Amino acid sequence: MKIGGILLVSEPPDDNLPSRWSKAGLARLGLRDHGRVRSGAAFQIVEKVRETEVEYPRPIGIPKKKPLF
């Protein structure tokens, strides 16, 4: 994803949490949370604001053992 790119993530329809996305976790990936839009369906808006650290993507199995979110 290029810097300045926008990622829209489909969210569960019954999720009432304001955000299930960790701001610290997103920041480690060079991403910024722009909140959620709900119009029937819900979408989380995330923007790429800087390069991702060299440790990502992580090896197979590590995300499950040490999730960012």
Side-chain angles (χ1 to χ4, degrees):
M1 185 172 176
K2 292 181 181 181
I3 293 176
I6 301 291
L7 172 69
L8 295 177
V9 180
S10 177
E11 292 283 18
D14 59 350
D15 181 17
N16 293 320
L17 297 174
S19 180
R20 64 187 182 119
W21 298 84
S22 160
K23 290 188 188 292
L26 288 171
R28 290 180 71 184
L29 299 174
L31 303 170
R32 178 183 304 143
D33 180 13
H34 282 278
R36 182 178 296 171
V37 174
R38 184 178 295 277
S39 178
F43 299 93
Q44 190 72 26
I45 303 167
V46 181
E47 178 186 8
K48 178 77 169 183
V49 293
R50 64 173 176 74
E51 290 297 325
T52 304
E53 297 173 16
V54 295
E55 65 191 69
Y56 298 103
R58 299 181 291 172
I60 294 173
I62 300 300
K64 185 173 184 174
K65 293 177 184 174
K66 297 179 182 179
L68 296 177
F69 306 96

